[in-house]
Amino acid sequence: MTDRFIEVSLDKRGVSCTAKLLDDRAPITCDAVWDALPLGGDVYHAKYARNEIYALVEPFAPEEPPLENPTITPIPGDLCYFTFSDTQLGTASYGYEHGAKHRGRATVVDLALFYERNNLLINGDAGWVPGIVWGSVVDGLDRMADACQDLWRAGALGETLSFRRA
């Protein structure tokens, strides 16, 4: 199979990076994401996982992917896929506004980019939260990490995280 690449962007900030899909390690997830592109939505910066930005999107796979190529310790450049129920993301401690677009959906897909070291996928309410590593940034992580730090400090309102074929 030919390598597949996507562009991951913070649209308002005009910053993007290129990631290679990990078809050999997470083929079901990669196919599901690839077939659904473009994807994206409001960007959030993680509270618990540390150096992570993500968008919450509607489910798009015919069936949710199995936990292939799982991790609880993502490294810089990892793209991860998570599935949550609305109630898992419903507590006020997560910081989602009352009118957040994912509210009321039975299933919510979280597409995440980890941009720096020392991440640990543990949640105070639920415990370990393994994710599927389905892509790895191969170009532009330094620029994206700077933009993610700015997002952390300056705020995420009005910013979107997008995934599209490169």
Side-chain angles (χ1 to χ4, degrees), residues 13-81:
R13 285 171 171 78
V15 177
S16 63
C17 58
T18 303
K20 179 181 180 254
L21 272 60
L22 301 178
D23 287 301
D24 57 332
R25 297 181 184 182
I28 297 168
T29 307
C30 288
D31 284 346
V33 171
W34 186 259
D35 291 344
L37 292 173
L39 292 164
D42 293 340
V43 68
Y44 295 94
H45 195 290
K47 275 175 103 170
Y48 301 108
R50 197 160 178 181
N51 301 300
E52 170 195 9
I53 61 168
Y54 60 95
L56 301 174
V57 300
E58 292 187 39
F60 50 82
E63 289 182 27
E64 284 305 307
L67 191 58
E68 54 184 359
N69 199 29
T71 190
I72 58 166
T73 56
I75 62 172
D78 277 352
L79 298 179
C80 290
Y81 179 109

